Amino acid sequence: FKMIDTSGKGGFGSVFYAKSTVSKERIAVKKMPHATDKEIQQNLDEVYFLRRLRHPNVVSFSAAYTIRDEIWVVMEFMEGGTLAEAVRICT
């Protein structure tokens, strides 16, 4: 992956706008700490959930990788900002 820019940061990690070096498509890469037992369990729960969820209003999951003490979750890139920004604008 070629990381292009930081797209957002939340309580569980940072999301980066990236491009696949293989397919050249735009993707989002969520990097989360993956060192403590609690982090590992939360991350695996998220990956498990995203792998099985297929809904037009939820970003598509592509893959997950463990890189040193992080897990990288590769997802569909959605333009328009973060969920928190959308909630702030719409409420």
Side-chain angles (χ1 to χ4, degrees):
F1 308 110
K2 180 180 178 187
M3 302 301 174
I4 297 173
D5 195 10
T6 302
S7 181
K9 185 171 173 94
F12 291 104
S14 298
V15 179
F16 295 84
Y17 165 57
K19 277 201 173 180
S20 167
T21 55
V22 176
S23 69
K24 307 298 183 201
E25 70 180 319
R26 297 182 308 166
I27 55 174
V29 178
K30 183 176 182 182
K31 294 182 180 183
M32 299 178 291
H34 195 71
T36 68
D37 289 342
K38 183 178 178 182
E39 290 168 342
I40 292 168
Q41 187 60 55
Q42 288 174 332
N43 295 341
L44 294 178
D45 288 347
E46 181 170 345
V47 168
Y48 177 84
F49 178 76
L50 287 172
R51 282 187 61 196
R52 282 154 182 75
L53 183 65
R54 299 285 181 246
H55 192 278
N57 296 335
V58 178
V59 295
S60 299
F61 169 84
S62 295
Y65 304 95
T66 303
I67 312 285
R68 292 182 277 304
D69 61 348
E70 292 182 319
I71 189 165
W72 294 13
V73 179
V74 181
M75 301 172 281
E76 169 187 18
F77 180 77
M78 299 295 291
E79 294 196 44
T82 66
L83 179 59
E85 291 168 344
V87 168
R88 200 170 28 252
I89 291 169
C90 295
T91 56

